[in-house]
Amino acid sequence: PHNSFTLQVLCRYRHIWNIELRFRPAFLGGIMQQTGNKPPAMLPKRGEYMLKDMKRMAKYYQVPVHMSPDDFQRIMGTSSLTAMRFITAMDMTNPQYLEPLSREFWMRFWSQHEDISQPENILAVARQAGLSAELSQKALEMMSSPAVKDRLKETTAEALKHGAFGMPAVVAHYDGKPHLFFGSDRLELLGSVIGE
Protein backbone atom coordinates (compact mmCIF):
# COMPACT_ATOMS: atom_id res chain seq x y z
CA PRO A 1 0.00 0.00 0.00
CA HIS A 2 2.91 2.36 0.61
CA ASN A 3 3.54 2.11 -3.15
CA SER A 4 0.10 3.59 -3.62
CA PHE A 5 0.87 6.58 -1.38
CA THR A 6 4.24 7.15 -3.06
CA LEU A 7 2.73 6.91 -6.52
CA GLN A 8 -0.04 9.39 -5.67
CA VAL A 9 2.28 11.90 -4.02
CA LEU A 10 4.93 11.80 -6.78
CA CYS A 11 2.20 12.34 -9.39
CA ARG A 12 0.87 15.31 -7.39
CA TYR A 13 4.32 16.86 -6.93
CA ARG A 14 5.66 16.17 -10.42
CA HIS A 15 4.92 19.70 -11.69
CA ILE A 16 5.51 21.47 -8.37
CA TRP A 17 9.00 19.93 -8.09
CA ASN A 18 9.56 20.00 -11.88
CA ILE A 19 10.69 16.38 -12.03
CA GLU A 20 10.54 13.91 -14.91
CA LEU A 21 8.68 10.94 -13.44
CA ARG A 22 9.30 7.55 -15.01
CA PHE A 23 7.56 4.37 -13.88
CA ARG A 24 9.72 1.23 -13.92
CA PRO A 25 7.84 -2.02 -13.30
CA ALA A 26 9.85 -4.45 -11.15
CA PHE A 27 8.97 -7.79 -9.56
CA LEU A 28 8.70 -7.37 -5.79
CA GLY A 29 8.93 -11.14 -5.15
CA GLY A 30 12.27 -11.27 -6.95
CA ILE A 31 13.62 -8.29 -5.01
CA MET A 32 12.55 -9.81 -1.68
CA GLN A 33 14.08 -13.18 -2.56
CA GLN A 34 17.38 -11.73 -3.79
CA THR A 35 17.85 -9.58 -0.69
CA GLY A 36 16.48 -12.03 1.91
CA ASN A 37 13.80 -9.51 2.90
CA LYS A 38 10.49 -10.61 4.45
CA PRO A 39 7.06 -8.97 4.28
CA PRO A 40 6.57 -6.66 7.31
CA ALA A 41 3.29 -8.36 8.23
CA MET A 42 5.16 -11.62 8.97
CA LEU A 43 6.19 -10.00 12.26
CA PRO A 44 2.88 -9.72 14.19
CA LYS A 45 3.70 -6.51 16.05
CA ARG A 46 4.90 -4.85 12.87
CA GLY A 47 1.74 -6.03 11.11
CA GLU A 48 -0.40 -4.40 13.82
CA TYR A 49 1.55 -1.16 13.47
CA MET A 50 1.27 -1.22 9.67
CA LEU A 51 -2.51 -1.41 9.83
CA LYS A 52 -2.70 1.66 12.07
CA ASP A 53 -0.09 3.49 10.02
CA MET A 54 -1.88 2.81 6.74
CA LYS A 55 -5.13 4.22 8.12
CA ARG A 56 -3.30 7.40 9.15
CA MET A 57 -1.55 7.67 5.79
CA ALA A 58 -4.76 7.02 3.84
CA LYS A 59 -6.42 9.87 5.71
CA TYR A 60 -3.43 12.20 5.39
CA TYR A 61 -2.87 11.62 1.66
CA GLN A 62 -6.60 11.17 0.95
CA VAL A 63 -6.00 7.87 -0.80
CA PRO A 64 -8.83 5.30 -0.40
CA VAL A 65 -6.81 2.37 0.93
CA HIS A 66 -8.73 -0.04 3.19
CA MET A 67 -6.99 -2.79 5.11
CA SER A 68 -7.96 -5.32 7.74
CA PRO A 69 -5.91 -8.09 9.42
CA ASP A 70 -7.54 -10.62 7.05
CA ASP A 71 -6.26 -8.69 4.05
CA PHE A 72 -2.67 -9.52 4.93
CA GLN A 73 -3.31 -13.21 4.18
CA ARG A 74 -4.91 -12.30 0.85
CA ILE A 75 -1.97 -10.08 -0.07
CA MET A 76 0.61 -12.73 0.84
CA GLY A 77 -1.27 -15.22 -1.34
CA THR A 78 -1.54 -13.00 -4.43
CA SER A 79 1.38 -12.69 -6.82
CA SER A 80 1.97 -9.38 -8.56
CA LEU A 81 4.00 -11.09 -11.32
CA THR A 82 1.13 -11.26 -13.86
CA ALA A 83 0.22 -7.60 -13.35
CA MET A 84 3.87 -6.53 -13.59
CA ARG A 85 4.29 -8.47 -16.85
CA PHE A 86 1.19 -6.77 -18.25
CA ILE A 87 2.54 -3.34 -17.23
CA THR A 88 5.94 -4.28 -18.71
CA ALA A 89 4.29 -5.21 -22.02
CA MET A 90 2.54 -1.84 -21.99
CA ASP A 91 5.83 -0.10 -21.14
CA MET A 92 7.36 -1.68 -24.24
CA THR A 93 4.46 -0.74 -26.56
CA ASN A 94 2.51 2.24 -25.16
CA PRO A 95 4.40 3.73 -22.19
CA GLN A 96 2.00 6.70 -21.96
CA TYR A 97 -0.48 4.36 -20.25
CA LEU A 98 1.90 3.37 -17.44
CA GLU A 99 0.70 6.00 -14.98
CA PRO A 100 -3.08 5.46 -15.30
CA LEU A 101 -2.52 1.69 -15.43
CA SER A 102 -0.36 1.68 -12.28
CA ARG A 103 -2.89 3.85 -10.42
CA GLU A 104 -5.78 1.62 -11.44
CA PHE A 105 -3.99 -1.61 -10.48
CA TRP A 106 -3.31 -0.21 -7.00
CA MET A 107 -6.88 1.00 -6.59
CA ARG A 108 -8.28 -2.38 -7.59
CA PHE A 109 -5.90 -4.30 -5.32
CA TRP A 110 -5.89 -2.14 -2.21
CA SER A 111 -9.29 -0.45 -2.28
CA GLN A 112 -11.48 -2.96 -4.07
CA HIS A 113 -9.54 -6.08 -3.05
CA GLU A 114 -9.59 -7.66 -6.50
CA ASP A 115 -7.31 -10.51 -7.56
CA ILE A 116 -5.10 -8.69 -10.07
CA SER A 117 -3.48 -11.95 -11.21
CA GLN A 118 -6.61 -12.95 -13.16
CA PRO A 119 -6.77 -12.04 -16.89
CA GLU A 120 -10.39 -10.83 -16.70
CA ASN A 121 -9.51 -8.45 -13.87
CA ILE A 122 -6.42 -7.24 -15.72
CA LEU A 123 -8.59 -6.42 -18.75
CA ALA A 124 -11.07 -4.57 -16.50
CA VAL A 125 -8.19 -2.55 -15.01
CA ALA A 126 -6.89 -1.73 -18.49
CA ARG A 127 -10.35 -0.65 -19.66
CA GLN A 128 -10.71 1.64 -16.62
CA ALA A 129 -7.25 3.11 -17.35
CA GLY A 130 -8.40 4.10 -20.85
CA LEU A 131 -6.85 1.34 -22.95
CA SER A 132 -8.66 0.03 -26.00
CA ALA A 133 -9.64 -3.65 -26.11
CA GLU A 134 -7.14 -4.13 -28.95
CA LEU A 135 -4.18 -2.71 -26.95
CA SER A 136 -5.14 -4.69 -23.85
CA GLN A 137 -5.43 -7.94 -25.78
CA LYS A 138 -2.05 -7.35 -27.43
CA ALA A 139 -0.38 -6.73 -24.04
CA LEU A 140 -2.11 -9.82 -22.60
CA GLU A 141 -0.71 -11.94 -25.45
CA MET A 142 2.77 -10.46 -25.01
CA MET A 143 2.92 -11.22 -21.27
CA SER A 144 4.27 -14.75 -21.65
CA SER A 145 6.83 -13.81 -24.33
CA PRO A 146 10.57 -14.06 -23.57
CA ALA A 147 10.97 -10.34 -24.46
CA VAL A 148 8.57 -9.22 -21.71
CA LYS A 149 9.94 -11.70 -19.15
CA ASP A 150 13.51 -10.56 -19.89
CA ARG A 151 12.59 -6.87 -19.71
CA LEU A 152 10.97 -7.34 -16.29
CA LYS A 153 14.03 -9.28 -15.10
CA GLU A 154 16.24 -6.41 -16.33
CA THR A 155 14.27 -3.68 -14.52
CA THR A 156 14.18 -5.82 -11.35
CA ALA A 157 17.97 -6.34 -11.59
CA GLU A 158 18.38 -2.59 -12.10
CA ALA A 159 16.36 -1.87 -8.94
CA LEU A 160 18.57 -4.33 -7.02
CA LYS A 161 21.70 -2.68 -8.45
CA HIS A 162 20.52 0.66 -7.03
CA GLY A 163 20.13 -0.99 -3.60
CA ALA A 164 16.38 -1.74 -3.53
CA PHE A 165 15.28 -4.33 -0.96
CA GLY A 166 11.51 -3.82 -1.20
CA MET A 167 8.89 -1.42 -2.50
CA PRO A 168 8.32 1.46 -2.90
CA ALA A 169 11.81 2.16 -4.18
CA VAL A 170 12.38 5.57 -5.76
CA VAL A 171 15.65 6.36 -7.55
CA ALA A 172 16.25 10.08 -8.03
CA HIS A 173 18.87 10.84 -10.68
CA TYR A 174 20.20 14.16 -9.49
CA ASP A 175 23.52 15.97 -9.63
CA GLY A 176 25.02 13.24 -11.80
CA LYS A 177 24.29 10.32 -9.49
CA PRO A 178 21.40 8.05 -8.43
CA HIS A 179 19.86 8.42 -4.94
CA LEU A 180 17.72 5.53 -3.63
CA PHE A 181 14.80 6.26 -1.31
CA PHE A 182 12.72 3.50 0.26
CA GLY A 183 9.25 4.07 1.66
CA SER A 184 6.64 6.78 1.33
CA ASP A 185 7.85 8.34 4.60
CA ARG A 186 11.05 9.46 2.85
CA LEU A 187 9.42 11.80 0.35
CA GLU A 188 10.47 14.94 2.24
CA LEU A 189 14.10 13.70 2.14
CA LEU A 190 13.76 13.12 -1.59
CA GLY A 191 12.53 16.71 -1.93
CA SER A 192 15.46 17.93 0.14
CA VAL A 193 18.07 16.09 -1.98
CA ILE A 194 16.72 17.60 -5.21
CA GLY A 195 16.62 21.07 -3.68
CA GLU A 196 12.86 21.31 -3.13
Side-chain angles (χ1 to χ4, degrees):
H2 289 258
N3 287 355
S4 180
F5 299 128
T6 303
L7 182 130
Q8 298 284 350
V9 174
L10 287 177
C11 287
R12 290 174 196 175
Y13 274 77
R14 174 173 37 201
H15 301 301
I16 300 167
W17 283 354
N18 193 28
I19 54 174
E20 184 186 335
L21 186 57
R22 188 168 173 213
F23 293 87
R24 301 298 305 277
F27 181 43
L28 177 58
I31 290 173
M32 299 289 270
Q33 187 182 26
Q34 288 288 316
T35 58
N37 198 357
K38 298 275 190 296
M42 285 184 77
L43 185 66
K45 281 292 172 195
R46 194 169 175 194
E48 284 173 30
Y49 174 79
M50 265 185 76
L51 273 177
K52 292 174 187 170
D53 200 42
M54 278 187 273
K55 285 175 186 170
R56 289 189 290 237
M57 290 182 79
K59 187 177 178 184
Y60 180 78
Y61 288 124
Q62 297 182 336
V63 176
V65 170
H66 309 293
M67 285 283 287
S68 72
D70 294 339
D71 289 325
F72 280 135
Q73 294 307 313
R74 176 184 60 85
I75 291 156
M76 304 266 256
T78 303
S79 173
S80 64
L81 181 58
T82 313
M84 287 298 102
R85 281 184 179 160
F86 185 85
I87 291 174
T88 299
M90 198 49 60
D91 188 24
M92 293 168 74
T93 54
N94 298 88
Q96 71 271 26
Y97 287 109
L98 245 60
E99 183 182 327
L101 202 52
S102 300
R103 281 175 182 264
E104 194 57 36
F105 265 121
W106 281 112
M107 288 296 287
R108 293 282 178 134
F109 191 58
W110 295 108
S111 280
Q112 296 160 32
H113 300 173
E114 279 189 11
D115 183 352
I116 56 167
S117 65
Q118 298 304 311
E120 62 271 21
N121 289 343
I122 287 173
L123 288 174
V125 165
R127 197 164 48 245
Q128 193 67 34
L131 276 76
S132 68
E134 188 184 354
L135 280 181
S136 301
Q137 199 56 46
K138 185 183 174 189
L140 209 58
E141 287 163 12
M142 283 178 68
M143 275 169 32
S144 56
S145 71
V148 166
K149 290 178 180 178
D150 288 347
R151 173 72 169 264
L152 185 56
K153 282 177 190 168
E154 283 165 21
T155 54
T156 302
E158 193 179 341
L160 285 162
K161 183 190 80 180
H162 285 304
F165 52 89
M167 291 289 183
V170 177
V171 180
H173 295 273
Y174 183 76
D175 210 15
K177 56 183 186 241
H179 304 263
L180 175 79
F181 295 89
F182 172 77
S184 51
D185 58 344
R186 289 296 177 264
L187 289 165
E188 63 269 36
L189 295 180
L190 166 62
S192 173
V193 163
I194 63 172
E196 296 288 355

